[in-house]
Amino acid sequence: MVRKINGISVNYIDEGEGEIVLLLHGWGANITLYRSVIDSLKKSRRVIALDMPGFGKTPEPPAPWCVDDYADFVLEFIASFRIERLSVVVHSFGGRVFFKINARENLPFAIDRAVLIDSAGILPKKTLRQKVSLRCYKFGRAFMSTKVMHFLYPDAVEDMRRRRGSSDYNNATPLMRTTLVKVVNEDLEPLIHLVKCPTLLIWGDLDTATPIEDARRMEELIADAGLVVCEGAGHFSFAQQPAKVNGALEAFFG
């Protein structure tokens, strides 16, 4: 299904009946990756899930966006359905968008429940080694960007970026690379305590993108939160251990 929001043709699904659950996907993903979660939830709920701009079948935003821009867009998407109450299930980057939305004053809808699966939002503390590495990279990039060095080695800067960048960064288009930098450098920890609805945290204990320590910190900050740990799973715990994750979802939503 396609719905036009602020000039962007949004690819989305709307399946099942009953109380509404909005699903927000992770960075670099799209709604097809969450099919097992959607199929589980839609047995007793109405599930709405969208490819956010720049992912799946939804075109990129008109300019590099920050998390607030994505929050604004999702709010417009929700408003197009005239929804008064909903629950959310989010993964990774989707968690960032949820924290921003939840922090807004006078939301036109109530948030009943939240499920955070390997959610992003807490900015990791850089070690001394990482700080030194970053400074060396910036110095090297500046040096190789000078006219003489760029003439002699025209691909050097891009090669440096590629070696240093994550797979998400290297696989993204130039516009989405800039968006990614804006997104990952914002620390949303100060907003997490504002989540007041019952919240379920589902996490892979081998997650290296959003470590299990992030989950335990979120559990401390959210007043009504519980944590389910998927032992042996990584950042995509819902795909690696679907039976456990879907069972937890069914129990949480009752």
Side-chain angles (χ1 to χ4, degrees):
M1 305 172 78
V2 176
R3 181 170 295 218
K4 206 103 170 181
I5 306 293
N6 294 342
I8 298 176
S9 297
V10 182
N11 179 58
Y12 74 101
I13 62 169
D14 185 350
E15 299 178 5
E17 296 180 353
E19 297 176 7
I20 296 172
V21 176
L22 176 72
L23 188 148
L24 299 177
H25 63 73
W27 185 273
N30 59 71
I31 54 179
T32 60
L33 185 63
Y34 301 84
R35 176 42 63 184
S36 69
V37 173
I38 293 166
D39 287 344
S40 177
L41 288 171
K42 75 178 186 180
K43 294 174 184 177
S44 60
R45 296 286 189 279
R46 176 185 174 190
V47 183
I48 299 174
L50 72 153
D51 284 339
M52 288 187 278
F55 304 99
K57 296 180 180 179
T58 300
E60 292 183 354
W65 277 7
C66 63
V67 185
D68 273 308
D69 294 320
Y70 276 99
D72 290 340
F73 187 86
V74 172
L75 284 172
E76 290 288 341
F77 177 78
I78 294 171
S80 72
F81 289 87
R82 299 181 180 179
I83 293 171
E84 295 181 356
R85 310 189 68 86
L86 57 76
S87 295
V88 297
V89 174
V90 302
H91 172 240
S92 192
F93 168 62
R96 293 182 182 274
V97 179
F98 165 66
F99 290 136
K100 283 287 190 176
I101 290 174
N102 181 76
R104 300 288 177 88
E105 295 183 356
N106 302 316
L107 285 175
F109 53 84
I111 301 175
D112 292 329
R113 292 173 180 266
V115 179
L116 311 180
I117 305 175
D118 299 291
S119 174
I122 295 178
L123 191 67
K125 303 291 189 297
K126 287 186 173 63
T127 64
L128 177 61
R129 182 175 181 178
Q130 288 173 325
K131 291 178 180 177
V132 171
S133 175
L134 178 60
R135 183 166 295 185
C136 291
Y137 165 72
K138 288 182 176 180
F139 175 80
R141 184 181 63 186
F143 176 70
M144 297 307 294
S145 296
T146 59
K147 289 184 178 180
V148 173
M149 298 308 294
H150 180 69
F151 176 78
L152 294 173
Y153 307 98
D155 300 324
V157 173
E158 183 58 29
D159 288 342
M160 291 173 66
R161 287 192 183 122
R162 190 177 298 109
R163 286 196 301 271
R164 183 177 178 83
S166 65
S167 59
D168 283 339
Y169 182 86
N170 289 330
N171 292 333
T173 64
L175 185 148
M176 295 305 291
R177 285 182 181 180
T178 306
T179 295
L180 178 61
V181 171
K182 287 186 173 186
V183 164
V184 300
N185 285 324
E186 185 172 4
D187 187 9
L188 303 183
E189 186 170 350
L191 303 182
I192 296 175
H193 76 281
L194 298 174
V195 178
K196 303 301 182 184
C197 64
T199 302
L200 175 64
L201 305 166
I202 301 177
W203 233 268
D205 66 340
L206 301 182
D207 190 340
T208 57
T210 54
I212 189 68
E213 289 77 15
D214 290 2
R216 302 198 189 283
R217 179 59 177 154
M218 290 182 189
E219 188 179 20
E220 291 176 357
L221 292 170
I222 300 172
D224 187 3
L227 173 62
V228 172
V229 178
C230 297
E231 296 180 358
H235 190 56
F236 294 86
S237 57
F238 66 92
Q240 294 168 299
Q241 296 187 11
K244 184 169 186 175
V245 171
N246 293 338
L249 290 172
E250 291 172 10
F252 182 62
F253 285 111

